[in-house]
Amino acid sequence: MCSTQANGTGLAQTTGDRMNPAAEAPEEHRVLIVGGGSGGHISPGLAVAEALASLGSQCHVICSERAIDSSMLSQEAVSFETVPARPFSTRPSGLLRCLRGMQRSSRHVRQLLEGTKFDCVLALGGFVAAAVMPGISKARSQNTNMFNGPVVLLNLDSVPGKANRHIARQADLILSTVDTVQPRFASSITGLPIRSAALAPGDPEHCRKELGLEPERPVLLVTGASQGAGSVNRLMQRLLDVSHAGLADCQVIHLIGDGGDHAIASTYAQAGIRAIVLPFLDQMGLAWGAASITISRAGANSVGEIQANSVPAIFLPYPHHRDQHQVYNARPLVDAGGAHIVEDQDDQATADTVGRLLADLFNNPLKRRSMSDALAAQARPEAAEAIASVLLAASNITRSK
């Protein structure tokens, strides 16, 4: 964790693994964004930060110590710092790390608020936001000169998690990117904010050329999101081992995650399939723009980016969440006619089902077009700007009091 020092402008100067929030005119809005631990939490925060910057406001992000957070924020040149937050665990050792992380993270954010004036806090949910919220609440209750602005929760999933339900009790305003299974959980539905790097920068031919692929051949994008998905990687291995006839005429972009087995690249090569195999791709817009079809997990951010880029999808929701929130995330796209859901049993039967769907879609361009049009009709391209406007409006109400 890093130290914080206040400079003469009242804005914290930071050292270590974070960037310095710039000191600007006092009338400028400053928004503190809290959340992280995965690309699915960082990406919406980046999208809102881009929208706020376009409106002349500053952002500073508090994120986890996981490498994905720092990598994504550094590439976008966003001001940030890390805290030692840890996910909740029922195991004694994991629970102790969680509680210690919460205590240290809470103290850290209070120190930040002592030296930096923020007009508003945007909580992106998850374990990072949950860890720092006690410090923010304490700062508001004990010293309004430290921070007296609104706290806005942005819920990302159709099923609000435990952390979000807890944060909701402390938030002044609750927004949700999607309809939730919990009635009246949020005051408004915004759509998922999409960062510019996750939007296709051109037509499929352009994106494929940029990635070094053949511009006219269809592309299958396989992704387990920022952390990868072992069962999705094994699914592709099964498809390649049994029969690759459905993939013979396409190209593949396969994002395997940091722990993924790079040996699958040689399996693609042996099958005569042109493939790009990477742990992670920050410029996801190129991948979405190049893709004809995607096989994907159904985290909120993946679902939002698929919808925003109108990519026909075969979703394999993570099967081990007790609340099955990824199934709920994907369902609206399926109901609209833009996606399929396959239960991920991590076996050959799953691979056979996916293989049949792939063959049908690759052989039916009109069906792919229909699915893409269905997704485009649901897109909410104004989401980031709408959320930014809400944050500024809420800040202005507090300033006027």
Side-chain angles (χ1 to χ4, degrees):
M1 190 162 57
C2 307
S3 61
T4 305
Q5 298 176 332
N7 65 14
T9 66
L11 191 63
Q13 294 292 329
T14 61
T15 59
D17 63 351
R18 55 189 168 178
M19 301 171 63
N20 295 338
E24 300 290 345
E27 66 272 12
E28 185 177 41
H29 283 86
R30 298 190 183 103
V31 178
L32 181 64
I33 300 176
V34 295
S38 70
H41 280 94
I42 294 296
S43 289
L46 282 170
V48 175
E50 288 177 359
L52 286 166
S54 71
L55 296 172
S57 298
Q58 284 188 22
C59 290
H60 186 60
V61 178
I62 290 181
C63 61
S64 80
E65 295 177 333
R66 291 179 177 175
I68 186 66
D69 294 11
S70 298
S71 174
M72 293 181 68
L73 291 164
S74 295
Q75 290 192 44
E76 298 297 328
V78 173
S79 170
F80 74 94
E81 56 193 279
T82 65
V83 291
R86 297 292 185 271
F88 176 78
S89 174
T90 56
R91 296 180 180 178
S93 59
L95 179 59
L96 182 60
R97 284 193 294 269
C98 175
L99 294 175
R100 284 177 176 171
M102 180 174 290
Q103 183 182 46
R104 294 170 182 170
S105 301
S106 181
R107 183 170 61 245
H108 185 84
V109 75
R110 287 199 70 217
Q111 292 173 347
L112 173 64
L113 293 174
E114 286 176 359
T116 308
K117 173 65 176 177
F118 289 100
D119 297 286
C120 182
V121 170
L122 175 64
L124 300 173
F127 70 90
V128 175
V132 302
M133 274 306 301
I136 294 171
S137 297
K138 195 168 185 179
R140 288 210 294 179
S141 64
Q142 292 187 347
N143 185 352
T144 56
N145 291 326
M146 188 183 302
F147 174 68
N148 64 351
V151 173
V152 179
L153 169 64
L154 181 63
N155 175 70
L156 302 177
D157 288 300
S158 294
V159 182
K162 289 181 179 179
N164 286 22
R165 297 197 302 272
H166 177 71
I167 295 168
R169 293 194 288 269
Q170 306 168 68
D172 300 291
L173 181 64
I174 303 169
L175 308 176
S176 183
T177 63
V178 291
D179 285 317
T180 63
V181 298
Q182 184 174 331
R184 296 181 295 279
F185 180 76
S187 61
S188 63
I189 308 302
T190 64
L192 188 86
I194 306 295
R195 63 193 176 106
S196 58
L199 293 172
D203 61 23
E205 291 75 17
H206 168 81
C207 294
R208 291 166 191 167
K209 286 180 181 178
E210 288 294 307
L211 290 168
L213 296 171
E214 295 179 34
E216 302 300 328
R217 289 181 66 193
V219 171
L220 171 65
L221 169 59
V222 182
T223 173
S226 64
Q227 299 181 63
S231 63
V232 173
N233 295 341
R234 290 189 290 274
L235 168 96
M236 295 307 299
Q237 187 68 61
R238 290 186 178 106
L239 285 176
L240 292 167
D241 287 346
V242 174
S243 172
H244 56 269
L247 303 175
D249 295 326
C250 79
Q251 305 168 98
V252 177
I253 304 169
H254 190 157
L255 306 181
I256 59 174
D258 285 336
D261 185 0
H262 286 267
I264 195 171
S266 61
T267 308
Y268 282 116
Q270 291 167 10
I273 297 170
R274 188 168 187 172
I276 297 173
V277 177
L278 297 170
F280 177 75
L281 181 63
D282 186 68
Q283 295 295 318
M284 276 300 294
L286 284 173
W288 295 126
S292 309
I293 306 167
T294 183
I295 295 173
S296 175
R297 283 289 194 236
N301 192 70
S302 295
V303 170
E305 291 184 2
I306 286 167
Q307 185 179 65
N309 290 285
S310 305
V311 182
I314 300 172
F315 286 117
L316 280 82
Y318 181 71
H320 303 301
H321 287 139
R322 184 172 298 178
D323 61 12
Q324 291 295 295
H325 67 263
Q326 289 201 3
V327 174
Y328 286 96
N329 289 343
R331 181 59 60 188
L333 276 64
V334 176
D335 292 343
H340 298 277
I341 291 178
V342 176
E343 183 180 356
D344 186 4
Q345 297 181 331
D346 197 9
D347 60 7
Q348 188 59 47
T350 303
D352 291 343
T353 300
V354 172
R356 288 192 294 271
L357 286 171
L358 283 175
D360 178 56
L361 290 174
F362 274 124
N363 291 327
N364 196 332
L366 290 179
K367 181 178 285 190
R368 296 203 308 271
R369 170 50 58 189
S370 176
M371 293 175 72
S372 181
D373 290 344
L375 295 174
Q378 284 195 330
R380 300 281 293 272
E382 78 290 350
E385 289 74 16
I387 294 167
S389 296
V390 168
L391 296 176
L392 297 184
S395 301
N396 284 330
I397 290 172
T398 302
R399 280 184 171 190
S400 65
K401 291 182 179 179

